[in-house]
Amino acid sequence: MSTAPPEYAALAGRMAELSDLGRIHALLFWDQNTMMPPRGAAARADHSSTLELISHGKLTDPEVGRLLDALEPWAGDQDPDSDEVRLLAAVRRDHEKAVRVPAELAAQMSHAAALGQQAWQEARAASDFGRFRDALSRHIELRHRYVQCFEGAEHPYDVLLDDFEPGLTTAELRPLFATLRDALVDLVAATAGSPAQSRNHGAFSGPFEVDHQRRAVMDVIEAVGFDADGWRLDPAPHPFAQSLGPTDVRITTRYDLHDFGVAHFSALHEFGHGLYEAGIAPELARSPLGAPVSLGMHESQSRLWENVIGRSRPFCGWVLPRLREALGPALGSIDADGLYRAVNSVQRSLIRVDADETTYNLHIILRFELELALLEGTVEVDDLPAAWNEGMQRLLGVDVPDDAQGVLQDVHWGAGLIGYFPTYTLGNLIAAQLWSRALADVPDLEAQIARGEPGALREWLRDRIHRHGRKFPPRELLERVTGDSLRPEPFLEYLRAKLADAAVTPA
Amino acid sequence: MSTAPPEYAALAGRMAELSDLGRIHALLFWDQNTMMPPRGAAARADHSSTLELISHGKLTDPEVGRLLDALEPWAGDQDPDSDEVRLLAAVRRDHEKAVRVPAELAAQMSHAAALGQQAWQEARAASDFGRFRDALSRHIELRHRYVQCFEGAEHPYDVLLDDFEPGLTTAELRPLFATLRDALVDLVAATAGSPAQSRNHGAFSGPFEVDHQRRAVMDVIEAVGFDADGWRLDPAPHPFAQSLGPTDVRITTRYDLHDFGVAHFSALHEFGHGLYEAGIAPELARSPLGAPVSLGMHESQSRLWENVIGRSRPFCGWVLPRLREALGPALGSIDADGLYRAVNSVQRSLIRVDADETTYNLHIILRFELELALLEGTVEVDDLPAAWNEGMQRLLGVDVPDDAQGVLQDVHWGAGLIGYFPTYTLGNLIAAQLWSRALADVPDLEAQIARGEPGALREWLRDRIHRHGRKFPPRELLERVTGDSLRPEPFLEYLRAKLADAAVTPA
């Protein structure tokens, strides 16, 4: 590679600052959701929006466009897979997306997000969709204006999707989700137990003291790769992961006295996210490439640890004695096989975040269908609760008793996040595709999991996915790692095999 | 007041963003010293310097100068005590100070601060001043260049002082500290107990479990005004207070198993700092006036709660039964009078941060004398340890066994902070002046303290000092509140009276 012209260092320097601002924003978010005293919220909103304004200014600065243009001839002569060429592509993408959106619209969207979350909170507390309808209408209206900033999209939803899963289109997603939906509806019919049965067959119903739960969680995640010198674990009402750099990873979990499964699987989930952040190559960390490449790929990492590994037979066998030591007799007399069956039980349920691995994607597919319908205008905002309730009956066979347990259950639409939900299911699909590849690449993988030694898998994940950050677009990355394109079949095969192995049949 | 011209809103908006960035910096600092995993430090340094760069750019923006000039005629017609006129004065001061320092010099100072702290750390660990001398020489050299950026100062030290205590001069400080020094040397001679005696006469030597200490500390500070909805208390190796806004105040303390006095008095100290931050008027909070006015005034608030109140007879009487409840039998059979005498005992000692209220200021005066001598060139850097040891013998009558317990004990010089130390003693002097005024203004004050009801005092402090933030320069504020100028006599009278009351005589 020829020595980069001085414009490259100038651009990279600007982008390093932008990366720092993003990390600082992550700290504001983490602190707000773990540490901040309740009355700190108003000032925090000011701090966040000032930071956002400054970041937006740095990204849309015309000098960035000038530097990109000046570097184009040089980049044309370089290895197209070099960090430098890929960095320029990422900056061009980010810059051009940002400059297309007028500052006034961006401000309106950010304002509507704050108001919408508040309206949603009140509406959910009152279980009354009517109190949320205006905020949602406003979000839809603003999304239409946002979509118009981008030319050439085949479907308006493509523009929204692209913010969370770069490059994915509605035309690809629709048949993929249709296949998945039909297969899952059948699978649920064949495996779902009674809705009266408690979650995880009561294996984790305790009650367990929070101290004991925390000890159990720490013991498990430290064994699989949590490093106390570079990570933190804190409680949070809605668990999440954030990273202030590859060696400052913050994960959270939630403790439910009567369901240790919440803390256990949330911690494994967030550990998967954290491991991705921790695995970014140090030389990319303070650059536009120094972040996970998409929400779907990010979610594939969390689902891999939570579900593919965390609910596997070898892992259940390894983890049970450790849990017993930390949790004591409250765990009861369950054996590894019983645990394996319990954590893979299937149940039709109302709430997405409580859903099991099998029914979960039907919750997502409903939201995807409704988002498309709202955007296409085939469902009006006022008809959304009815469409929701109909969909829950059709896909999951459950009656929705009220809006709070129905259409108002998630914060996303309150914040104006439309096009986000599909990435959860993408995560499940990609996790299965990666797992199938890892099984082929890493000899003896399941035996290593059974011994609680996932070091070789961690290295494989780091080498194939984590270290690259945003260097390769998500679809290209998937194909580089698996040789395959995004497909639902590996997930369905994985799930069918596991449900058969665990002998999951209706109770 | 006539309606402000549009330039006012433009300037205030820019300054509100600058205030937000300052608060965010406070969060970075707080997190780094309480929560951050050790390996997060390198990335954190990048985040901090990016934030600093952006803040500096915003403050030195020529548009700020233009707006200030444009507003001058309007301001001339306004009430000179209005928030607006005072805000313009504060912005002009900050802007003009910032633009005088070339970016290159500012960067060198910031770089030297990082290197200097590291050199200091290594030197202290090895107890070898020689390893720190180059870093300190560099700091002195850079300070000389910094001083040259400002014309018209009577003494170079004035320029450094002004960064911590706006408006204070060496010519004022020298005689004031000389009076204080002579009086304190005599007072220590009359009251100091044996150096072999343990601190606080062993009243707090426990051992006390950290859980019990924390419970005791929380019980005390909640009673005096800590509000869990808007404050936090966390452990930190070097206790400090930070504020992210008047309703997001973070204080810290340190737990020593064998000395509950550390946690108790640190918490009261930081509570005093926190109360100042919490008392800033909401309408000033997001502005250049929304911060404590000087380090000396800030320290007066912490010393007031730690020493003037925390070591008073009424407070000791109130606090003892509470401590007994939280700490249990490890507190022994001491009575309130014994506690009062114990926490006011006087001892010659080596370490500033461990010093009692009486000897403390002699530690500061030594540092002030040495800083002046270094800057005037009457002491060379290489001669500093000898000068230190001579000063400790002259002022405190102690032999310094090594550099770690002598000239290398504090981080300040490592970070290039010269002119900072005097503000600790200013805090003690001002606290005594304020207390004498409060006793006159608040009827029944000591009885309220004895009942653990300092609400009227809190209101008095808020009304007279806290709410104004930086509106009035520190000396003006002191005169407005007390009708008096900065003087050492009230502190000396307060201290003599207490030592006599507590019957403190050499053991």
Side-chain angles (χ1 to χ4, degrees), chain A residues 75-83 85-86 471-472 480:
Chain A
D77 292 337
Q78 310 304 313
D79 174 3
D81 280 356
S82 66
D83 288 354
V85 170
R86 295 295 187 143
K471 181 169 176 179
F472 306 113
R480 279 175 178 257

Side-chain angles (χ1 to χ4, degrees), chain A residues 370-426:
Chain A
L370 294 175
E371 288 184 345
L372 271 186
L374 284 169
L375 218 60
E376 291 171 345
T378 55
V379 164
E380 296 298 320
V381 166
D382 285 324
D383 301 330
L384 188 63
W388 179 282
N389 298 350
E390 179 279 320
M392 286 299 287
Q393 184 53 252
R394 175 169 48 88
L395 297 176
L396 280 152
V398 294
D399 285 326
V400 178
D402 54 41
D403 293 343
Q405 294 178 80
V407 66
L408 291 176
Q409 67 184 261
D410 292 311
V411 66
H412 304 60
W413 289 342
L417 296 171
I418 296 174
Y420 187 117
F421 279 123
T423 64
Y424 291 124
T425 283
L426 294 182

Side-chain angles (χ1 to χ4, degrees), chain A residues 112 133-147 160 370-371 373-377 379-381 384 413 416 418:
Chain A
R133 68 149 327 275
D134 288 350
L136 184 57
S137 292
R138 173 76 174 150
H139 283 319
I140 307 282
E141 177 208 331
L142 288 169
R143 259 74 208 155
H144 279 297
R145 286 175 50 200
Y146 181 76
V147 165
L160 306 184
L370 294 175
E371 288 184 345
L374 284 169
L375 218 60
E376 291 171 345
V379 164
E380 296 298 320
V381 166
L384 188 63
W413 289 342
I418 296 174

